[in-house]
């Protein structure tokens, strides 16, 4: 999986129940993250690779790391399709 970063047009907020992502492009759409998805997003925002972030989520929840990687790759694809995540190279060009 490529190195991913939150798009610069996305603002995130977190609670103990998960997270909300606000995409400020266009209409300003909100997206909901589960608690595990929110934790994964936080690790990405702090500079972890997608797999490092997935491993941290697995460790936090005591889950199988391979299954969490599969799940987070599926989430990453959805978020990339919506342009909420971008590759690290693209992220550097946006800044």
């Amino acid at each position: 999986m490529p190195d991913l970063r939150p798009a610069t047009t996305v603002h995130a907020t977190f609670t103990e129940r998960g997270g909300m992502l606000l995409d400020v492009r266009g209409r300003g759409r909100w997206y909901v993250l589960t608690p595990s998805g929110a934790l994964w997003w936080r690790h990405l925002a702090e500079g972890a690779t997608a797999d490092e972030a997935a491993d941290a989520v697995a460790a936090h929840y005591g889950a199988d790391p391979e299954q969490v990687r599969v799940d987070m790759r599926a989430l990453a694809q959805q978020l990339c399709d919506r342009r909420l995540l971008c590759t690290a190279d693209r992220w550097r060009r946006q800044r």
Side-chain angles (χ1 to χ4, degrees):
M1 177 178 298
D3 195 11
L4 301 171
R5 293 290 173 263
T8 58
T9 58
V10 176
H11 300 277
T13 187
F14 304 100
T15 71
E16 66 280 348
R17 300 180 113 182
M20 297 287 295
L21 304 177
L22 173 62
D23 183 3
V24 297
R25 290 175 296 127
R27 297 183 184 179
R29 294 182 185 255
W30 285 95
Y31 298 88
V32 177
L33 294 174
T34 64
S36 58
L39 181 59
W40 181 76
W41 181 277
R42 281 182 160 175
H43 284 286
L44 288 179
E46 292 170 357
T49 67
D51 285 340
E52 289 169 346
D55 291 346
V57 170
H60 179 81
Y61 288 104
D64 175 47
E66 285 306 312
Q67 184 59 54
V68 174
R69 283 183 179 204
V70 168
D71 294 345
M72 293 303 122
R73 285 181 184 131
L75 175 60
Q77 186 61 56
Q78 292 172 15
L79 296 174
C80 286
D81 289 348
R82 290 175 175 85
R83 296 181 14 204
L84 303 175
L85 281 179
C86 58
T87 63
D89 289 339
R90 183 172 166 204
W91 180 82
R92 283 189 276 281
R93 288 192 302 269
Q94 289 178 352
R95 299 212 84 176

